[in-house]
Amino acid sequence: IEPAFSDTKHWKQDDLFLSIRDQNAIVHYRPSVNKVINFIVGPFGSQHDVDIISENEISIFNNNNFLDKKYSEVIIYNFDTKKFKKLFNNQLKDENFKTKINGTSHIFKDGSLMIEESWSGRIILFNNQGKKEWEYINKDENDEIGLFSFSRIIEDKLLIEKIKTL
């Protein structure tokens, strides 16, 4: 579930974007009137992790389990054009990036992308040009993979300072 924290021409504050994984759909729901505003289906399967990324776009983490099972994707849906586009798709193919369940993505303000391959314990950061900046694999001293679950990078400098004092 992704809540809207402000109004735009496409949604109102407190609207919800619900990922219905087993129906391969995103539901845009307005609780204030108990109404579905949009029912979005597209080129995704077992998707989740909807993020509002601009005043007219959302990103969707596509596990891609029912369509092209080879790799996971980040898909952008534009409410103005009602079209989808894939973000850094060739790079994800080249990295053989695939997580059957879980996984997450985060698009930063500068257009760079952090993506998590949960079951393989891998996080990759691509800069806004699609170049891999770094990769982290969560292994212990015996080379056993540790899982990730919805990791995040904290961007709020005040929150970082507050956490440091704890």
Side-chain angles (χ1 to χ4, degrees):
I1 297 173
E2 173 79 0
F5 294 112
S6 61
D7 289 352
T8 73
K9 69 180 184 180
H10 299 289
W11 53 80
K12 298 200 178 297
Q13 184 174 340
D14 298 326
D15 281 6
L16 301 173
F17 291 93
L18 310 164
S19 175
I20 312 299
R21 184 186 73 176
D22 294 333
Q23 290 187 17
N24 304 321
I26 306 298
V27 174
H28 172 195
Y29 173 68
R30 184 159 297 149
S32 62
V33 293
N34 191 28
K35 184 176 178 184
V36 171
I37 306 302
N38 290 298
F39 188 82
I40 303 164
V41 294
F44 41 78
S46 292
Q47 81 296 328
H48 59 94
D49 188 28
V50 175
D51 291 322
I52 296 171
I53 60 171
S54 73
E55 290 191 357
N56 65 336
E57 293 178 314
I58 57 173
S59 70
I60 304 161
F61 186 90
N62 181 21
N63 286 99
N64 209 13
N65 288 341
F66 302 115
L67 304 170
D68 177 358
K69 298 180 181 184
K70 295 180 183 171
Y71 58 95
S72 300
E73 301 171 320
V74 176
I75 296 177
I76 310 299
Y77 178 72
N78 185 300
F79 284 84
D80 287 332
T81 64
K82 299 193 181 344
K83 293 189 179 185
F84 297 93
K85 69 179 179 182
K86 296 177 181 179
L87 183 64
F88 300 150
N89 211 45
N90 290 332
Q91 292 85 336
L92 295 174
K93 283 181 187 178
D94 291 346
E95 291 294 330
N96 196 29
F97 186 88
K98 176 65 177 166
T99 184
K100 192 172 182 179
I101 59 173
N102 293 11
T104 190
S105 62
H106 180 76
I107 301 168
F108 294 91
K109 291 175 187 166
D110 72 350
S112 57
L113 171 70
M114 183 187 87
I115 193 156
E116 174 193 291
E117 192 177 26
S118 302
W119 288 88
S120 299
R122 179 165 73 148
I123 297 175
I124 302 172
L125 179 74
F126 296 100
N127 68 19
N128 59 9
Q129 301 299 306
K131 180 178 180 253
K132 182 165 71 171
E133 291 289 326
W134 55 261
E135 172 182 61
Y136 176 75
I137 299 175
N138 190 24
K139 289 185 181 180
D140 66 13
E141 62 275 357
N142 299 319
D143 264 357
E144 293 181 17
I145 300 285
L147 307 179
F148 282 118
S149 186
F150 294 94
S151 28
R152 296 283 188 249
I153 291 181
I154 300 170
E155 298 179 82
D156 183 322
K157 291 180 182 185
L158 292 175
L159 180 57
I160 292 169
E161 290 307 314
K162 187 174 182 179
I163 290 170
K164 285 180 181 179
T165 63
L166 299 176

